[in-house]
């Protein structure tokens, strides 16, 4: 069948648009038969992917970063339903490309095109945050608060922008009062952040859910409660290690579960796959759809 490429030209601050000719040449060289749809505004990739799936295109190839992948997955789920979300290929044109790195997919475009052409798939878990689907991670509290800051930073690009935003967000020291419930437990009290992972790394640098496995049928969530900005800051280098040692620090708890119910006493920003929700929220329910996405992998 013919593939449909959904290109987000804005990914990596318009670098995806500049690199598209390279990606196009790589797909053609690999023998991938495709047509192209270009997203003109934030969120349009959802509708482009949905329409492509309804028209019978397969696979749908996300050409962009983690946010683009998330939008395409949402479009596939809207078209096909939750039992079999669809078939996805990835041409990594984003800033961090977290999902690609988490899964060991090639970042080199010719190699990524060869993976798509080969047609081999693995069944990836798909997660839900409210009515939004995601495949890498989602969060409430400090993590999306940092995302709001990094969007305002214009004088840095790439990974340094994420790090600068993280430092600024930590020193602001925002807090929430929360009740969090999961399969076999609950937590009630102050909360700095809750990060829900389908895979370990997010933001290009941070292993927020270091023991997450996108093939195990479980959500892996880490809750952090630190009283001071200094306490949170001291966790930062540990959260940047793939060894995941930060989860053993005081005030940090990791859970593996199939559902999470979060209730906050004040509004918090939220994100899924790096894309901020349009409004802040004071409640969010998470669930998992095990092995529902056919992901093209080596």
């Amino acid at each position: 069948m013919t593939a449909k490429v959904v290109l987000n030209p804005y990914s990596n601050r318009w670098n995806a648009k500049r690199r598209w000719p390279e990606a196009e040449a790589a797909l053609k060289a690999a023998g991938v038969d495709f047509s192209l749809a270009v997203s003109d505004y934030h969120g349009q990739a959802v509708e482009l992917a949905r329409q492509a799936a309804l028209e019978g295109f397969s696979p749908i190839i996300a050409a962009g970063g983690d946010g683009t992948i998330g939008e395409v997955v949402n479009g596939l789920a809207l078209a096909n339903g939750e039992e079999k979300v669809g078939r996805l290929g990835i041409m990594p044109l984003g800033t961090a490309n977290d999902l690609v790195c988490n899964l060991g997919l090639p970042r080199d475009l010719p190699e990524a095109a060869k993976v798509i052409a080969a047609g081999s798939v693995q069944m990836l878990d798909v997660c839900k945050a409210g009515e939004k689907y995601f495949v890498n991670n989602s969060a409430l509290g400090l993590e999306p608060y940092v995302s709001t800051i990094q969007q305002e930073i214009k004088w840095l690009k790439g990974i340094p922008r994420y790090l600068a935003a993280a430092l600024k967000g930590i020193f602001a020291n925002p807090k929430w009062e929360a009740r969090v419930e999961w399969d076999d437990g609950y937590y009630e009290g102050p909360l700095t952040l809750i990060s829900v992972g389908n895979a370990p790394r997010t933001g290009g640098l941070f292993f927020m859910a270091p023991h997450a496995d996108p093939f195990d049928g479980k959500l892996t969530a880490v809750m952090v409660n630190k009283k001071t900005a200094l306490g949170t800051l001291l966790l930062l280098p540990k959260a940047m290690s793939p060894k995941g040692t930060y989860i053993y620090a005081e005030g940090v708890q990791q859970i593996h579960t199939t559902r999470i119910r979060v209730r906050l006493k004040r509004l918090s920003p939220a994100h899924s796959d790096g894309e901020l929700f349009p409004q802040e929220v004071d409640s969010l329910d998470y669930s998992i759809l095990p092995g529902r996405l056919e992901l093209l992998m080596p």
Side-chain angles (χ1 to χ4, degrees):
M1 289 184 281
T2 302
K4 175 71 78 171
V5 175
V6 177
L7 170 66
N8 178 6
Y10 179 72
S11 288
N12 198 2
R13 300 290 175 100
W14 293 105
N15 196 44
K17 180 179 181 180
R18 291 189 290 269
R19 294 191 68 196
W20 168 244
E22 180 187 352
E24 181 182 33
L27 288 166
K28 289 180 177 178
V32 179
D33 182 20
F34 69 94
S35 65
L36 176 67
V38 181
S39 175
D40 292 324
Y41 54 85
H42 178 74
Q44 190 187 16
V46 177
E47 177 57 27
L48 293 175
R50 186 190 74 85
Q51 190 61 41
L54 290 174
E55 291 172 359
F57 288 95
S58 181
I60 311 300
I61 301 170
D66 292 293
T68 307
I69 295 168
E71 288 187 13
V72 168
V73 169
N74 274 268
L76 285 170
L78 289 172
N80 298 325
E82 295 183 351
E83 287 303 312
K84 189 175 180 181
V85 171
R87 181 167 291 197
L88 175 72
I90 301 173
M91 290 297 281
L93 297 173
T95 303
N97 298 304
D98 285 312
L99 184 65
V100 165
C101 292
N102 280 321
L103 296 174
L105 290 166
R107 295 186 65 172
D108 176 78
L109 294 178
E111 292 302 314
K114 290 176 185 176
V115 169
I116 292 169
S120 177
V121 301
Q122 290 191 44
M123 302 305 295
L124 189 77
D125 296 342
V126 176
C127 310
K128 289 190 76 174
E131 296 304 311
K132 291 181 178 291
Y133 300 90
F134 67 97
V135 286
N136 196 60
N137 96 308
S138 175
L140 294 161
L142 178 62
E143 189 178 315
Y145 179 77
V146 166
S147 296
T148 66
I149 295 171
Q150 71 93 11
Q151 288 189 349
E152 298 171 355
I153 296 175
K154 309 298 184 185
W155 49 278
L156 281 174
K157 295 182 179 181
I159 302 303
R161 188 172 78 245
Y162 288 115
L163 184 57
L167 291 171
K168 187 174 181 180
I170 287 170
F171 282 112
N173 198 29
K175 296 290 178 194
W176 290 264
E177 287 290 325
R179 181 176 174 87
V180 183
E181 301 172 0
W182 58 94
D183 287 349
D184 55 2
Y186 74 93
Y187 166 80
E188 191 162 7
L191 192 69
T192 305
L193 67 89
I194 177 168
S195 188
V196 181
N198 195 36
R201 198 186 85 177
T202 185
L205 288 170
F206 308 107
F207 293 84
M208 298 304 298
H211 300 132
D213 179 348
F215 303 102
D216 69 354
K218 293 288 187 71
L219 299 163
T220 299
V222 175
M223 294 178 289
V224 176
N225 171 33
K226 284 293 183 180
K227 294 180 181 180
T228 66
L230 179 60
T232 306
L233 181 63
L234 292 174
L235 284 181
L236 188 62
K238 294 180 180 180
M240 294 167 65
S241 168
K243 294 180 180 180
T245 56
Y246 94 101
I247 67 165
Y248 305 112
E250 184 180 356
V252 181
Q253 182 177 2
Q254 178 179 261
I255 58 172
H256 302 284
T257 183
T258 62
R259 64 172 186 90
I260 303 170
R261 185 174 187 262
V262 183
R263 298 294 182 265
L264 304 174
K265 290 188 177 180
R266 71 179 182 92
L267 293 170
S268 166
H271 82 78
S272 59
D273 285 337
E275 295 296 308
L276 288 165
F277 285 23
Q279 290 91 27
E280 294 187 339
V281 300
D282 59 8
S283 64
L284 196 57
D285 292 338
Y286 289 97
S287 58
I288 186 125
L289 307 171
R292 305 297 171 84
L293 179 68
E294 295 182 355
L295 182 65
L296 290 162
M297 292 187 66

